[in-house]
Amino acid sequence: MNGIAGGLGGKQMKDWGNAKFIRSTTVTILLLTLLSTAATCQTAVQEFRISDLTRTTASEPGLKECLREGQRILGENAEVLKCGFLNQADVLESVAALKRPPFRVGDRSIVSRLVILRKEPSGWRTALNVSREIQNGAGFLGIDYLDDASPYWGYSVLIENHRADGKPALVLSLAYMANENDMSEVPVDITWNPAVHRYQEFSLNYEPFGFKPEIKNPPHKP
């Protein structure tokens, strides 16, 4: 017998065959693990293209739901700014808004009202409401007091894909408008906090760094 087989006894042949089988099985498992991981990464968050959306038609069922719910809350003039499984793979979310003139300042949209709606197992609910103030279901965000006297010009909003600490996330950068064209304050970043299951302010500008708790009953400005 020539070659490798000729130089190996019965036990050696068996051991060599077992080792070959183990190596092959290991490679197969590694490949399956990589494919599974890649699939998970691709499907964990899915965003629909807003370019596929008009006020009357949508190419994806998810887009139709986002538009329908946005218009149910804000009226027929509502526009969808973002739609998809934005934070969780099993929760559809719609970022809908009412824009106002001049509609844009630089790369920021001007809105008089904005909501984030989440389709959870119990149904659709409003997770964030932006009108004169920014509120989630637990309180007010990004303020120290309520100002009832100043005129309301809306907010400028920029939707970003990373938090201030660099972590990938849906982030709404919201800045109160001082007048029709100018922002009055440093923008407030709002993003999803999975630990408390709601949207909160996130900042690295002052301690404690990170997510900021809501204010449940802010005082009114004198």
Side-chain angles (χ1 to χ4, degrees), residues 108-172:
R108 306 177 70 91
S109 298
I110 309 302
V111 303
S112 59
R113 181 89 188 277
L114 181 146
V115 292
I116 299 181
L117 309 171
R118 287 171 57 87
K119 186 182 181 183
E120 299 183 340
S122 59
W124 284 92
R125 73 174 182 89
T126 301
L128 189 76
N129 183 30
V130 180
S131 52
R132 176 177 280 273
E133 312 296 346
I134 307 170
Q135 294 176 266
N136 62 16
F140 295 82
L141 307 177
I143 62 168
D144 296 316
Y145 55 83
L146 298 173
D147 186 354
D148 303 312
S150 64
Y152 176 61
W153 294 95
Y155 284 83
S156 71
V157 57
L158 178 65
I159 300 179
E160 300 178 302
N161 297 317
H162 290 83
R163 297 188 326 205
D165 60 359
K167 181 177 179 180
L170 170 69
V171 178
L172 266 65

